[in-house]
Structure formats: C-alpha cells, structure tokens
Amino acid sequence: QESNEGSPFISLETQRAFFKTYSLKDLFGYESYFNGIYVNQTTAGFILESMPLVGFTMESHRSISSIFKSILPENSNIQFLLMADPHIGDILEYWADPRHHNGSMMSKIASERAAHFKRLANQEVKDLSARSFRILISVTRPLGEEVSFQTLSQELIELKERLTVLFSMAHMSTYSLEP
C-alpha cells in the first residue's frame, strides 16, 4: 500500500472506500439521471453551465428577460449559481501551451504569466486571487400525476434546447452539465 501523505491527490483505495459508503447521488442531491434529465423525489430538471456574461447589452437583456416572460412554464424553478473555482492550473496550461511553440520570448512570457496567476489562485499575493468563474443554471419542474414522466422529460429536453438557443442569442455559450 502506497502512502499518499503530502500529495494533493486522494489514493485509489481511499476513493473506493468512500464510494462504497457514499454514492454521487447522495453528494449531489439527485436520485437518478436519465437522457439528460436529473430526477429527484418531487422534481425533474436539467443543469446548464456557462461562463459569466460580460458586456450586457439591451439585446442580451431582452433575451434573458424573455425567459421569465414567455419561456419558463408555470411552476418551473430556475436557479443561477455563480461558482469561483481556484483550480485554474489546467486552464492556464491550455492557454500557455500554444505559446510555448512560438519562440523563446513568447514561451518565457507565457510561463511567467501562468506562474503569476497560479500564485494568485493560491492566494500567495495579499488581497488578490485568481479564479475560474462559471455559472450553473438549473431548471426544475415538479413531478406529478397530471403529466407522465415521459411527457415531462420530453418537455424538459425541449426547454433545455430553447434556453440554450436563448442564452446563445445573449452571447452566453452553454452546455449541458452531466454527472
């Protein structure tokens, strides 16, 4: 058995022991996932992920406000959750990698910038921090006897497609968040 002491990673044995005790649905609050739809005891819905919108225009405002005026069905619930993730190393490497192939000066600049933002993410610079910001948009509808799950599921898939197009019109790229 290998020691994992001092490593930022959890050993495979620890992970297996954890998932013998807990399931992902216990951690994330849904009971099942089927065809792009999360299902709970009393609701079903979906989650979209996007980057925050910068430079909000009147066109964007009209698009977003139409969600509440005409797109969301009655008894729907929509939540917006802004997440600030300090784990930005992969993003920085993705950004820096092509610059490492453009000569020694560009490679040096890319390395120094990536290192600077990593220090900010680790809060090594007082009063400043770097984060990757994302928005989770969850939409749920109540489960009930009035509508079959199959019908509700199809309505949710169509709603997800409509919202994806609408957010795109507001210059927000979204994609479906899956377990």
Side-chain angles (χ1 to χ4, degrees):
Q1 178 180 358
E2 289 184 29
S3 171
N4 204 34
E5 193 173 315
S7 171
F9 301 103
I10 298 171
S11 73
L12 188 55
E13 283 183 23
T14 303
Q15 290 177 32
R16 286 184 180 146
F18 179 82
F19 287 115
K20 282 182 182 176
T21 307
Y22 303 99
S23 72
L24 288 177
K25 69 179 183 180
D26 293 334
L27 298 174
F28 296 118
Y30 66 93
E31 296 189 6
S32 63
Y33 180 81
F34 177 74
N35 200 25
I37 304 299
Y38 292 90
V39 181
N40 297 308
Q41 286 184 356
T42 60
T43 61
F46 57 87
I47 303 173
L48 298 173
E49 183 174 353
S50 179
M51 300 300 284
L53 186 60
V54 179
F56 206 72
T57 64
M58 283 307 292
E59 177 187 334
S60 299
H61 182 270
R62 281 190 291 277
S63 293
I64 299 296
S65 65
S66 71
I67 292 172
F68 305 100
K69 291 179 181 177
S70 59
I71 292 181
L72 283 179
E74 207 171 302
N75 295 325
S76 296
N77 182 12
I78 187 167
Q79 296 178 26
F80 294 83
L81 175 64
L82 178 63
M83 295 179 55
D85 185 357
H87 301 99
I88 61 172
D90 290 343
I91 296 168
L92 293 171
E93 294 305 319
Y94 179 79
W95 172 82
D97 186 55
R99 287 150 183 87
H100 289 301
H101 306 292
N102 290 336
S104 63
M105 181 58 81
M106 287 301 293
S107 178
K108 182 175 176 161
I109 291 171
S111 294
E112 288 179 9
R113 284 188 182 167
H116 173 71
F117 281 105
K118 286 178 184 176
R119 283 192 300 275
L120 289 176
N122 293 329
Q123 296 182 329
E124 294 173 18
V125 179
K126 187 177 179 175
D127 298 327
L128 290 175
S129 62
R131 300 289 185 261
S132 170
F133 288 92
R134 298 186 321 263
I135 296 176
L136 298 183
I137 306 159
S138 66
V139 177
T140 57
R141 302 258 324 266
L143 291 171
E145 295 177 15
E146 317 78 57
V147 179
S148 70
F149 175 74
Q150 185 175 4
T151 301
L152 180 60
S153 177
Q154 186 59 41
E155 289 174 3
L156 284 166
I157 290 168
E158 290 169 9
L159 179 59
K160 181 172 26 173
E161 290 169 1
R162 288 181 70 195
L163 286 175
T164 299
V165 168
L166 182 132
F167 285 123
S168 175
M169 290 170 52
H171 308 290
M172 286 178 67
S173 305
T174 59
Y175 65 92
S176 185
L177 188 66
E178 299 180 359

mmCIF file of all heavy atoms in Angstrom, residues 105-146:
data_model
loop_
_atom_site.group_PDB
_atom_site.id
_atom_site.type_symbol
_atom_site.label_atom_id
_atom_site.label_comp_id
_atom_site.label_asym_id
_atom_site.label_seq_id
_atom_site.Cartn_x
_atom_site.Cartn_y
_atom_site.Cartn_z
ATOM 1 N N MET A 105 10.914 33.914 -26.465
ATOM 2 C CA MET A 105 10.359 35.074 -25.764
ATOM 3 C C MET A 105 8.899 34.818 -25.388
ATOM 4 O O MET A 105 8.488 35.058 -24.247
ATOM 5 C CB MET A 105 10.476 36.339 -26.613
ATOM 6 C CG MET A 105 9.935 37.583 -25.908
ATOM 7 S SD MET A 105 10.730 37.943 -24.337
ATOM 8 C CE MET A 105 12.186 38.759 -24.884
ATOM 9 N N MET A 106 8.095 34.341 -26.343
ATOM 10 C CA MET A 106 6.680 34.053 -26.062
ATOM 11 C C MET A 106 6.553 32.947 -25.026
ATOM 12 O O MET A 106 5.689 32.999 -24.153
ATOM 13 C CB MET A 106 5.933 33.663 -27.339
ATOM 14 C CG MET A 106 5.667 34.823 -28.269
ATOM 15 S SD MET A 106 4.677 36.119 -27.490
ATOM 16 C CE MET A 106 3.111 35.296 -27.281
ATOM 17 N N SER A 107 7.412 31.960 -25.101
ATOM 18 C CA SER A 107 7.385 30.862 -24.136
ATOM 19 C C SER A 107 7.682 31.376 -22.729
ATOM 20 O O SER A 107 7.015 31.010 -21.767
ATOM 21 C CB SER A 107 8.408 29.806 -24.545
ATOM 22 O OG SER A 107 8.425 28.763 -23.612
ATOM 23 N N LYS A 108 8.667 32.253 -22.622
ATOM 24 C CA LYS A 108 9.039 32.808 -21.308
ATOM 25 C C LYS A 108 7.895 33.665 -20.744
ATOM 26 O O LYS A 108 7.553 33.555 -19.568
ATOM 27 C CB LYS A 108 10.311 33.640 -21.432
ATOM 28 C CG LYS A 108 10.778 34.194 -20.109
ATOM 29 C CD LYS A 108 12.090 34.915 -20.231
ATOM 30 C CE LYS A 108 12.377 35.491 -18.851
ATOM 31 N NZ LYS A 108 13.678 35.840 -18.588
ATOM 32 N N ILE A 109 7.300 34.509 -21.592
ATOM 33 C CA ILE A 109 6.175 35.349 -21.152
ATOM 34 C C ILE A 109 5.006 34.480 -20.696
ATOM 35 O O ILE A 109 4.409 34.720 -19.640
ATOM 36 C CB ILE A 109 5.741 36.316 -22.279
ATOM 37 C CG1 ILE A 109 6.826 37.371 -22.506
ATOM 38 C CG2 ILE A 109 4.404 36.975 -21.952
ATOM 39 C CD1 ILE A 109 6.600 38.234 -23.747
ATOM 40 N N ALA A 110 4.676 33.454 -21.480
ATOM 41 C CA ALA A 110 3.557 32.564 -21.126
ATOM 42 C C ALA A 110 3.826 31.862 -19.798
ATOM 43 O O ALA A 110 2.936 31.765 -18.939
ATOM 44 C CB ALA A 110 3.326 31.548 -22.238
ATOM 45 N N SER A 111 5.031 31.363 -19.614
ATOM 46 C CA SER A 111 5.370 30.677 -18.360
ATOM 47 C C SER A 111 5.267 31.607 -17.164
ATOM 48 O O SER A 111 4.723 31.238 -16.118
ATOM 49 C CB SER A 111 6.788 30.100 -18.441
ATOM 50 O OG SER A 111 6.842 29.084 -19.399
ATOM 51 N N GLU A 112 5.778 32.829 -17.318
ATOM 52 C CA GLU A 112 5.735 33.783 -16.205
ATOM 53 C C GLU A 112 4.307 34.220 -15.889
ATOM 54 O O GLU A 112 3.942 34.353 -14.718
ATOM 55 C CB GLU A 112 6.623 34.985 -16.515
ATOM 56 C CG GLU A 112 8.095 34.636 -16.437
ATOM 57 C CD GLU A 112 9.016 35.791 -16.769
ATOM 58 O OE1 GLU A 112 8.542 36.944 -16.909
ATOM 59 O OE2 GLU A 112 10.239 35.549 -16.881
ATOM 60 N N ARG A 113 3.496 34.437 -16.913
ATOM 61 C CA ARG A 113 2.093 34.814 -16.663
ATOM 62 C C ARG A 113 1.331 33.682 -15.994
ATOM 63 O O ARG A 113 0.564 33.906 -15.056
ATOM 64 C CB ARG A 113 1.401 35.211 -17.966
ATOM 65 C CG ARG A 113 1.795 36.582 -18.425
ATOM 66 C CD ARG A 113 0.979 37.031 -19.598
ATOM 67 N NE ARG A 113 1.437 38.348 -20.028
ATOM 68 C CZ ARG A 113 1.090 38.902 -21.158
ATOM 69 N NH1 ARG A 113 0.277 38.275 -21.996
ATOM 70 N NH2 ARG A 113 1.531 40.094 -21.477
ATOM 71 N N ALA A 114 1.530 32.454 -16.485
ATOM 72 C CA ALA A 114 0.842 31.306 -15.877
ATOM 73 C C ALA A 114 1.262 31.163 -14.418
ATOM 74 O O ALA A 114 0.415 30.942 -13.538
ATOM 75 C CB ALA A 114 1.131 30.032 -16.667
ATOM 76 N N ALA A 115 2.551 31.294 -14.147
ATOM 77 C CA ALA A 115 3.040 31.187 -12.763
ATOM 78 C C ALA A 115 2.446 32.289 -11.888
ATOM 79 O O ALA A 115 2.059 32.042 -10.735
ATOM 80 C CB ALA A 115 4.568 31.249 -12.743
ATOM 81 N N HIS A 116 2.333 33.505 -12.428
ATOM 82 C CA HIS A 116 1.755 34.620 -11.673
ATOM 83 C C HIS A 116 0.300 34.316 -11.294
ATOM 84 O O HIS A 116 -0.102 34.500 -10.133
ATOM 85 C CB HIS A 116 1.847 35.906 -12.491
ATOM 86 C CG HIS A 116 1.138 37.074 -11.858
ATOM 87 N ND1 HIS A 116 1.622 37.697 -10.718
ATOM 88 C CD2 HIS A 116 -0.014 37.704 -12.177
ATOM 89 C CE1 HIS A 116 0.793 38.662 -10.368
ATOM 90 N NE2 HIS A 116 -0.204 38.692 -11.242
ATOM 91 N N PHE A 117 -0.495 33.854 -12.260
ATOM 92 C CA PHE A 117 -1.902 33.563 -11.966
ATOM 93 C C PHE A 117 -2.049 32.374 -11.019
ATOM 94 O O PHE A 117 -2.970 32.328 -10.212
ATOM 95 C CB PHE A 117 -2.701 33.370 -13.248
ATOM 96 C CG PHE A 117 -3.072 34.668 -13.902
ATOM 97 C CD1 PHE A 117 -2.410 35.099 -15.041
ATOM 98 C CD2 PHE A 117 -4.055 35.484 -13.362
ATOM 99 C CE1 PHE A 117 -2.731 36.311 -15.635
ATOM 100 C CE2 PHE A 117 -4.381 36.696 -13.939
ATOM 101 C CZ PHE A 117 -3.716 37.110 -15.083
ATOM 102 N N LYS A 118 -1.133 31.419 -11.097
ATOM 103 C CA LYS A 118 -1.172 30.304 -10.144
ATOM 104 C C LYS A 118 -0.903 30.810 -8.724
ATOM 105 O O LYS A 118 -1.535 30.353 -7.775
ATOM 106 C CB LYS A 118 -0.169 29.224 -10.543
ATOM 107 C CG LYS A 118 -0.611 28.413 -11.740
ATOM 108 C CD LYS A 118 0.439 27.387 -12.131
ATOM 109 C CE LYS A 118 0.015 26.659 -13.388
ATOM 110 N NZ LYS A 118 1.043 25.718 -13.860
ATOM 111 N N ARG A 119 0.037 31.753 -8.597
ATOM 112 C CA ARG A 119 0.293 32.345 -7.267
ATOM 113 C C ARG A 119 -0.956 33.076 -6.766
ATOM 114 O O ARG A 119 -1.299 33.011 -5.590
ATOM 115 C CB ARG A 119 1.493 33.289 -7.321
ATOM 116 C CG ARG A 119 2.837 32.589 -7.357
ATOM 117 C CD ARG A 119 3.998 33.551 -7.125
ATOM 118 N NE ARG A 119 4.064 34.613 -8.112
ATOM 119 C CZ ARG A 119 4.653 34.528 -9.310
ATOM 120 N NH1 ARG A 119 5.221 33.389 -9.673
ATOM 121 N NH2 ARG A 119 4.672 35.561 -10.133
ATOM 122 N N LEU A 120 -1.630 33.787 -7.672
ATOM 123 C CA LEU A 120 -2.865 34.474 -7.283
ATOM 124 C C LEU A 120 -3.936 33.466 -6.857
ATOM 125 O O LEU A 120 -4.657 33.691 -5.889
ATOM 126 C CB LEU A 120 -3.397 35.334 -8.430
ATOM 127 C CG LEU A 120 -2.602 36.591 -8.776
ATOM 128 C CD1 LEU A 120 -3.208 37.274 -10.001
ATOM 129 C CD2 LEU A 120 -2.565 37.554 -7.602
ATOM 130 N N ALA A 121 -4.042 32.362 -7.587
ATOM 131 C CA ALA A 121 -5.038 31.341 -7.248
ATOM 132 C C ALA A 121 -4.748 30.723 -5.889
ATOM 133 O O ALA A 121 -5.663 30.386 -5.137
ATOM 134 C CB ALA A 121 -5.081 30.255 -8.325
ATOM 135 N N ASN A 122 -3.467 30.582 -5.564
ATOM 136 C CA ASN A 122 -3.073 30.020 -4.264
ATOM 137 C C ASN A 122 -3.034 31.070 -3.173
ATOM 138 O O ASN A 122 -2.590 30.797 -2.069
ATOM 139 C CB ASN A 122 -1.707 29.333 -4.386
ATOM 140 C CG ASN A 122 -1.766 28.116 -5.257
ATOM 141 O OD1 ASN A 122 -2.778 27.437 -5.333
ATOM 142 N ND2 ASN A 122 -0.674 27.851 -5.952
ATOM 143 N N GLN A 123 -3.457 32.267 -3.501
ATOM 144 C CA GLN A 123 -3.521 33.409 -2.585
ATOM 145 C C GLN A 123 -2.172 33.718 -1.953
ATOM 146 O O GLN A 123 -2.078 34.056 -0.776
ATOM 147 C CB GLN A 123 -4.598 33.182 -1.534
ATOM 148 C CG GLN A 123 -5.974 33.102 -2.156
ATOM 149 C CD GLN A 123 -7.076 32.916 -1.156
ATOM 150 O OE1 GLN A 123 -6.882 32.313 -0.121
ATOM 151 N NE2 GLN A 123 -8.241 33.438 -1.486
ATOM 152 N N GLU A 124 -1.142 33.604 -2.769
ATOM 153 C CA GLU A 124 0.200 33.955 -2.309
ATOM 154 C C GLU A 124 0.425 35.464 -2.379
ATOM 155 O O GLU A 124 1.397 35.968 -1.845
ATOM 156 C CB GLU A 124 1.253 33.221 -3.141
ATOM 157 C CG GLU A 124 1.209 31.715 -2.947
ATOM 158 C CD GLU A 124 2.143 30.970 -3.893
ATOM 159 O OE1 GLU A 124 3.064 31.601 -4.459
ATOM 160 O OE2 GLU A 124 1.940 29.769 -4.080
ATOM 161 N N VAL A 125 -0.468 36.174 -3.093
ATOM 162 C CA VAL A 125 -0.386 37.622 -3.188
ATOM 163 C C VAL A 125 -1.521 38.178 -2.336
ATOM 164 O O VAL A 125 -2.689 37.864 -2.551
ATOM 165 C CB VAL A 125 -0.517 38.101 -4.660
ATOM 166 C CG1 VAL A 125 -0.461 39.614 -4.736
ATOM 167 C CG2 VAL A 125 0.550 37.458 -5.532
ATOM 168 N N LYS A 126 -1.183 39.016 -1.367
ATOM 169 C CA LYS A 126 -2.174 39.527 -0.417
ATOM 170 C C LYS A 126 -3.277 40.315 -1.123
ATOM 171 O O LYS A 126 -3.010 41.133 -1.998
ATOM 172 C CB LYS A 126 -1.483 40.416 0.622
ATOM 173 C CG LYS A 126 -2.405 40.840 1.723
ATOM 174 C CD LYS A 126 -1.698 41.649 2.771
ATOM 175 C CE LYS A 126 -2.730 42.050 3.809
ATOM 176 N NZ LYS A 126 -2.150 42.724 4.918
ATOM 177 N N ASP A 127 -4.530 40.054 -0.736
ATOM 178 C CA ASP A 127 -5.724 40.771 -1.196
ATOM 179 C C ASP A 127 -6.073 40.562 -2.671
ATOM 180 O O ASP A 127 -6.901 41.284 -3.209
ATOM 181 C CB ASP A 127 -5.623 42.278 -0.921
ATOM 182 C CG ASP A 127 -5.513 42.571 0.570
ATOM 183 O OD1 ASP A 127 -6.106 41.809 1.366
ATOM 184 O OD2 ASP A 127 -4.827 43.540 0.936
ATOM 185 N N LEU A 128 -5.434 39.624 -3.349
ATOM 186 C CA LEU A 128 -5.771 39.309 -4.738
ATOM 187 C C LEU A 128 -5.926 37.807 -4.880
ATOM 188 O O LEU A 128 -5.230 37.037 -4.224
ATOM 189 C CB LEU A 128 -4.672 39.782 -5.698
ATOM 190 C CG LEU A 128 -4.512 41.271 -5.897
ATOM 191 C CD1 LEU A 128 -3.300 41.552 -6.772
ATOM 192 C CD2 LEU A 128 -5.753 41.875 -6.524
ATOM 193 N N SER A 129 -6.828 37.402 -5.736
ATOM 194 C CA SER A 129 -6.950 35.976 -6.025
ATOM 195 C C SER A 129 -7.443 35.791 -7.456
ATOM 196 O O SER A 129 -8.148 36.645 -7.994
ATOM 197 C CB SER A 129 -7.905 35.294 -5.037
ATOM 198 O OG SER A 129 -9.187 35.843 -5.149
ATOM 199 N N ALA A 130 -7.052 34.695 -8.056
ATOM 200 C CA ALA A 130 -7.489 34.360 -9.417
ATOM 201 C C ALA A 130 -8.423 33.168 -9.323
ATOM 202 O O ALA A 130 -8.179 32.220 -8.578
ATOM 203 C CB ALA A 130 -6.286 34.037 -10.301
ATOM 204 N N ARG A 131 -9.499 33.230 -10.069
ATOM 205 C CA ARG A 131 -10.489 32.158 -10.075
ATOM 206 C C ARG A 131 -11.018 31.955 -11.487
ATOM 207 O O ARG A 131 -10.998 32.863 -12.307
ATOM 208 C CB ARG A 131 -11.683 32.505 -9.168
ATOM 209 C CG ARG A 131 -11.340 32.741 -7.713
ATOM 210 C CD ARG A 131 -10.960 31.427 -7.046
ATOM 211 N NE ARG A 131 -10.741 31.556 -5.627
ATOM 212 C CZ ARG A 131 -9.549 31.676 -5.058
ATOM 213 N NH1 ARG A 131 -8.467 31.716 -5.792
ATOM 214 N NH2 ARG A 131 -9.427 31.754 -3.760
ATOM 215 N N SER A 132 -11.524 30.765 -11.725
ATOM 216 C CA SER A 132 -12.271 30.485 -12.955
ATOM 217 C C SER A 132 -13.745 30.583 -12.567
ATOM 218 O O SER A 132 -14.234 29.787 -11.761
ATOM 219 C CB SER A 132 -11.947 29.083 -13.469
ATOM 220 O OG SER A 132 -12.826 28.736 -14.513
ATOM 221 N N PHE A 133 -14.444 31.560 -13.121
ATOM 222 C CA PHE A 133 -15.846 31.762 -12.773
ATOM 223 C C PHE A 133 -16.741 31.030 -13.766
ATOM 224 O O PHE A 133 -16.510 31.085 -14.979
ATOM 225 C CB PHE A 133 -16.190 33.259 -12.769
ATOM 226 C CG PHE A 133 -15.592 33.991 -11.613
ATOM 227 C CD1 PHE A 133 -14.359 34.607 -11.726
ATOM 228 C CD2 PHE A 133 -16.261 34.046 -10.399
ATOM 229 C CE1 PHE A 133 -13.799 35.270 -10.653
ATOM 230 C CE2 PHE A 133 -15.707 34.706 -9.319
ATOM 231 C CZ PHE A 133 -14.471 35.326 -9.450
ATOM 232 N N ARG A 134 -17.740 30.353 -13.226
ATOM 233 C CA ARG A 134 -18.727 29.650 -14.044
ATOM 234 C C ARG A 134 -20.099 29.859 -13.424
ATOM 235 O O ARG A 134 -20.226 30.060 -12.220
ATOM 236 C CB ARG A 134 -18.419 28.153 -14.097
ATOM 237 C CG ARG A 134 -17.089 27.850 -14.721
ATOM 238 C CD ARG A 134 -16.837 26.363 -14.906
ATOM 239 N NE ARG A 134 -17.284 25.495 -13.854
ATOM 240 C CZ ARG A 134 -16.530 25.031 -12.867
ATOM 241 N NH1 ARG A 134 -15.294 25.396 -12.761
ATOM 242 N NH2 ARG A 134 -17.019 24.200 -11.977
ATOM 243 N N ILE A 135 -21.102 29.777 -14.268
ATOM 244 C CA ILE A 135 -22.481 29.879 -13.791
ATOM 245 C C ILE A 135 -23.164 28.546 -14.048
ATOM 246 O O ILE A 135 -23.108 28.013 -15.159
ATOM 247 C CB ILE A 135 -23.246 30.994 -14.527
ATOM 248 C CG1 ILE A 135 -22.617 32.352 -14.217
ATOM 249 C CG2 ILE A 135 -24.721 30.982 -14.143
ATOM 250 C CD1 ILE A 135 -23.236 33.492 -14.972
ATOM 251 N N LEU A 136 -23.790 28.013 -13.010
ATOM 252 C CA LEU A 136 -24.632 26.828 -13.169
ATOM 253 C C LEU A 136 -26.074 27.303 -13.182
ATOM 254 O O LEU A 136 -26.496 28.046 -12.287
ATOM 255 C CB LEU A 136 -24.412 25.834 -12.033
ATOM 256 C CG LEU A 136 -23.012 25.255 -11.906
ATOM 257 C CD1 LEU A 136 -22.961 24.240 -10.775
ATOM 258 C CD2 LEU A 136 -22.546 24.632 -13.204
ATOM 259 N N ILE A 137 -26.805 26.902 -14.200
ATOM 260 C CA ILE A 137 -28.204 27.295 -14.362
ATOM 261 C C ILE A 137 -29.031 26.025 -14.254
ATOM 262 O O ILE A 137 -28.949 25.159 -15.127
ATOM 263 C CB ILE A 137 -28.441 27.969 -15.727
ATOM 264 C CG1 ILE A 137 -27.479 29.140 -15.905
ATOM 265 C CG2 ILE A 137 -29.894 28.391 -15.881
ATOM 266 C CD1 ILE A 137 -27.269 29.548 -17.349
ATOM 267 N N SER A 138 -29.775 25.884 -13.170
ATOM 268 C CA SER A 138 -30.589 24.679 -13.010
ATOM 269 C C SER A 138 -32.065 25.038 -13.155
ATOM 270 O O SER A 138 -32.526 26.055 -12.652
ATOM 271 C CB SER A 138 -30.333 24.007 -11.656
ATOM 272 O OG SER A 138 -30.764 24.826 -10.602
ATOM 273 N N VAL A 139 -32.756 24.182 -13.870
ATOM 274 C CA VAL A 139 -34.191 24.361 -14.102
ATOM 275 C C VAL A 139 -34.886 23.080 -13.668
ATOM 276 O O VAL A 139 -34.481 21.986 -14.060
ATOM 277 C CB VAL A 139 -34.482 24.640 -15.600
ATOM 278 C CG1 VAL A 139 -35.979 24.748 -15.842
ATOM 279 C CG2 VAL A 139 -33.764 25.899 -16.058
ATOM 280 N N THR A 140 -35.903 23.225 -12.836
ATOM 281 C CA THR A 140 -36.665 22.055 -12.396
ATOM 282 C C THR A 140 -38.150 22.299 -12.587
ATOM 283 O O THR A 140 -38.619 23.443 -12.612
ATOM 284 C CB THR A 140 -36.406 21.717 -10.908
ATOM 285 O OG1 THR A 140 -36.723 22.846 -10.107
ATOM 286 C CG2 THR A 140 -34.968 21.298 -10.686
ATOM 287 N N ARG A 141 -38.851 21.192 -12.737
ATOM 288 C CA ARG A 141 -40.312 21.194 -12.813
ATOM 289 C C ARG A 141 -40.810 20.139 -11.839
ATOM 290 O O ARG A 141 -40.166 19.116 -11.644
ATOM 291 C CB ARG A 141 -40.789 20.825 -14.229
ATOM 292 C CG ARG A 141 -40.294 21.698 -15.360
ATOM 293 C CD ARG A 141 -41.286 22.707 -15.872
ATOM 294 N NE ARG A 141 -42.657 22.320 -15.898
ATOM 295 C CZ ARG A 141 -43.295 21.797 -16.948
ATOM 296 N NH1 ARG A 141 -42.673 21.572 -18.076
ATOM 297 N NH2 ARG A 141 -44.577 21.506 -16.867
ATOM 298 N N PRO A 142 -41.977 20.362 -11.239
ATOM 299 C CA PRO A 142 -42.492 19.369 -10.287
ATOM 300 C C PRO A 142 -42.958 18.096 -10.998
ATOM 301 O O PRO A 142 -43.484 18.150 -12.110
ATOM 302 C CB PRO A 142 -43.668 20.079 -9.621
ATOM 303 C CG PRO A 142 -44.030 21.201 -10.526
ATOM 304 C CD PRO A 142 -42.826 21.542 -11.328
ATOM 305 N N LEU A 143 -42.710 16.969 -10.341
ATOM 306 C CA LEU A 143 -43.256 15.706 -10.814
ATOM 307 C C LEU A 143 -44.665 15.594 -10.242
ATOM 308 O O LEU A 143 -44.916 15.998 -9.113
ATOM 309 C CB LEU A 143 -42.421 14.526 -10.313
ATOM 310 C CG LEU A 143 -41.027 14.379 -10.896
ATOM 311 C CD1 LEU A 143 -40.260 13.305 -10.129
ATOM 312 C CD2 LEU A 143 -41.096 14.025 -12.362
ATOM 313 N N GLY A 144 -45.557 15.050 -11.002
ATOM 314 C CA GLY A 144 -46.919 14.912 -10.506
ATOM 315 C C GLY A 144 -47.686 13.899 -11.311
ATOM 316 O O GLY A 144 -47.194 13.328 -12.280
ATOM 317 N N GLU A 145 -48.910 13.688 -10.899
ATOM 318 C CA GLU A 145 -49.749 12.699 -11.572
ATOM 319 C C GLU A 145 -50.382 13.257 -12.844
ATOM 320 O O GLU A 145 -50.847 12.497 -13.688
ATOM 321 C CB GLU A 145 -50.826 12.214 -10.602
ATOM 322 C CG GLU A 145 -50.237 11.470 -9.420
ATOM 323 C CD GLU A 145 -51.310 11.045 -8.426
ATOM 324 O OE1 GLU A 145 -52.491 11.067 -8.771
ATOM 325 O OE2 GLU A 145 -50.927 10.684 -7.306
ATOM 326 N N GLU A 146 -50.389 14.611 -12.992
ATOM 327 C CA GLU A 146 -51.036 15.219 -14.157
ATOM 328 C C GLU A 146 -50.321 14.871 -15.455
ATOM 329 O O GLU A 146 -50.928 14.773 -16.508
ATOM 330 C CB GLU A 146 -51.090 16.750 -14.073
ATOM 331 C CG GLU A 146 -51.463 17.416 -12.791
ATOM 332 C CD GLU A 146 -50.349 17.463 -11.758
ATOM 333 O OE1 GLU A 146 -49.252 17.983 -12.017
ATOM 334 O OE2 GLU A 146 -50.608 16.968 -10.658
#
